[in-house]
Amino acid sequence: MNKSIQTHSPMTSPKRSAGAALVVALVLLLLITLLGLSGLRTGQMEERMSANALDRALAFQAAEAALRTAEDTIPAARLAGTVPNDLAAADYTDNACTVSACADGICARPDSECTDRWTDSTFDGWIDGPTAGSGALAIASQYFIEAVSRNTPCESKIIVQDLSGTCTTFRVTARNAPQAGRSQVILQTTFVWPN
């Protein structure tokens, strides 16, 4: 009687195949988990970016609304004679910029040595403007107007009215009201009105 002996090679052993399949499955599961976490992180980052873009857009709209509100007040203030006169350097105490010369949101021209009012944290001449957005997204705005020069030469060739003489030049500065954690937008424009 001839008995045959069967031998298994180590590469084709059923026990070793089952172990290899488990390792491959675990590696694939790890890769899928890492891809899922990466996608989740990307989604969170995109959500933050879109929230910041919305906040910036609302801040810009609030500042622009304040800018338009301020420009609308200039003609009435000019006609009412409430625009302050040009100040000379002598009007400022030792160039310490202690003269604010602001009334109802319209300020006299600052001395050239003074800090710009919109960068001065102690300046309190901001006037409240309209609010952009609603609810938790609402952003208030502020503005002030500077009479840069009361003697700007100006000329107009409007069909209805020809004007030649001097005008008052205003610099309008508007911003969304500062809020912690919110975007800050400051806008400026130059506005010229006849004397």
Side-chain angles (χ1 to χ4, degrees):
M1 282 214 31
N2 215 356
K3 289 186 178 181
S4 65
I5 301 175
Q6 293 182 347
T7 59
H8 295 284
S9 72
M11 298 304 276
T12 59
S13 169
K15 289 182 180 178
R16 289 197 181 245
S17 297
L22 179 62
V23 169
V24 170
L26 287 175
V27 167
L28 287 176
L29 184 61
L30 178 64
L31 289 175
I32 291 171
T33 302
L34 290 175
L35 284 173
L37 289 174
S38 173
L40 182 63
R41 185 174 298 137
T42 300
Q44 288 174 336
M45 182 65 74
E46 288 176 357
E47 184 179 354
R48 281 191 213 128
M49 288 175 9
S50 64
N52 288 340
L54 174 64
D55 190 55
R56 172 91 163 82
L58 285 173
F60 185 86
Q61 290 173 8
E64 191 171 33
L67 197 69
R68 300 297 169 235
T69 300
E71 288 175 347
D72 289 344
T73 64
I74 291 174
R78 186 66 193 99
L79 293 174
T82 58
V83 176
N85 291 320
D86 287 349
L87 295 178
D91 295 320
Y92 293 87
T93 309
D94 300 323
N95 284 334
C97 305
T98 56
V99 177
S100 64
C102 296
D104 299 325
I106 301 181
C107 305
R109 176 179 46 130
D111 186 88
S112 61
E113 300 295 319
C114 296
T115 302
D116 293 326
R117 288 180 172 117
W118 60 90
T119 62
D120 185 357
S121 61
T122 62
F123 175 66
D124 61 355
W126 293 95
I127 300 295
D128 291 334
T131 300
S134 62
L137 296 177
I139 297 180
S141 63
Q142 298 173 322
Y143 68 88
F144 69 90
I145 304 164
E146 293 174 293
V148 177
S149 173
R150 301 231 6 201
N151 295 309
T152 303
C154 58
E155 184 176 337
S156 173
K157 299 291 185 186
I158 302 172
I159 295 173
V160 178
Q161 169 189 4
D162 285 337
L163 170 71
S164 183
T166 59
C167 292
T168 300
T169 302
F170 298 91
R171 177 173 52 209
V172 179
T173 304
R175 70 179 183 184
N176 60 306
Q179 289 178 285
R182 302 292 298 260
S183 296
Q184 180 70 55
V185 174
I186 296 178
L187 300 175
Q188 285 186 329
T189 188
T190 301
F191 193 93
V192 178
W193 190 257
N195 290 335

